[in-house]
Amino acid sequence: MIRAIGLVEFNSIAKGIEAADIMFKAAQVEPLVCRTVCPGKYVVLVWGDVAAVQSSVKAGINQGSASVVDEFVLPNVHPSVIPAINGTAQVKEIRALGIIETFSLASLIVAADTAVKAAEVDLLEIRLGLAIGGKSFVTLTGDVGAVKTSVSTGAATAAEKGLLVNQIVIPSPHPNLKSHLY
């Protein structure tokens, strides 16, 4: 069971790779995502015990300094966040559809975690900045009221940092759309 995750997002690929090395050397953490993303950024997402993740992220921030775009540590990450990032979420039925879109990967993961903790919803996917101009988005489903609460609460966390692009709730998505959401 993953207890904590932490992410550092860099605007320099070279600096991101260097910082990733430092992050892995600073604490006993495991990589979840360590790769380039659009537009020419590098992201390091790690997991482990809370103290280890905090130490690793701090080391990455220190090493990356001016190249750091965004970062976070989530000590009690919701269990559905990792499958949504990995594209392995298991959702039986799409009811109302919620979407939160942000300018940064870090702000989106925090928004998704906040959203899924705010109401009874299922995360469909967390798409992290690959081939979408560096933006990120989460799709989630549930009853209309739960999706509205969830999207509003999650989007507020990204809006606080000035990184929210948009938030949408579709009460009854068309079947043709549903088949293209996974």
Side-chain angles (χ1 to χ4, degrees):
M1 182 166 91
I2 295 177
R3 299 185 202 289
I5 61 173
L7 180 138
V8 186
E9 185 175 342
F10 304 91
N11 64 12
S12 163
I13 295 166
K15 201 64 171 171
I17 293 169
E18 177 188 45
D21 181 60
I22 296 299
M23 291 172 70
F24 297 133
K25 290 175 179 174
Q28 190 172 354
V29 294
E30 295 294 326
L32 282 169
V33 175
C34 195
R35 68 172 189 226
T36 57
V37 293
C38 297
K41 295 193 278 184
Y42 196 83
V43 63
V44 183
L45 176 62
V46 298
W47 70 272
D49 289 334
V50 176
V53 170
Q54 289 171 332
S55 294
S56 178
V57 167
K58 183 177 178 181
I61 292 167
N62 290 339
Q63 187 66 32
S65 58
S67 296
V68 175
V69 174
D70 204 355
E71 50 77 24
F72 71 79
V73 172
L74 284 175
N76 295 309
V77 65
H78 192 278
S80 66
V81 168
I82 302 307
I85 290 172
N86 291 333
T88 60
Q90 300 293 318
V91 177
K92 294 177 182 169
E93 178 188 11
I94 297 176
R95 297 174 303 247
L97 178 66
I99 306 132
I100 303 170
E101 179 184 7
T102 68
F103 285 114
S104 84
L105 285 72
S107 65
L108 190 274
I109 294 172
V110 172
D113 183 67
T114 302
V116 75
K117 289 176 179 174
E120 188 69 32
V121 295
D122 294 314
L123 297 179
L124 297 171
E125 179 184 21
I126 296 175
R127 179 90 50 95
L128 297 177
L130 204 53
I132 52 176
K135 292 181 188 177
S136 295
F137 68 91
V138 60
T139 51
L140 53 90
T141 188
D143 294 333
V144 176
V147 169
K148 285 180 179 180
T149 298
S150 191
V151 166
S152 175
T153 305
T157 64
E160 287 172 9
K161 293 179 102 176
L163 296 170
L164 180 67
V165 174
N166 211 332
Q167 65 187 63
I168 301 290
V169 174
I170 302 171
S172 182
H174 191 278
N176 290 346
L177 176 61
K178 288 180 182 182
S179 66
H180 292 278
L181 292 173
Y182 285 103

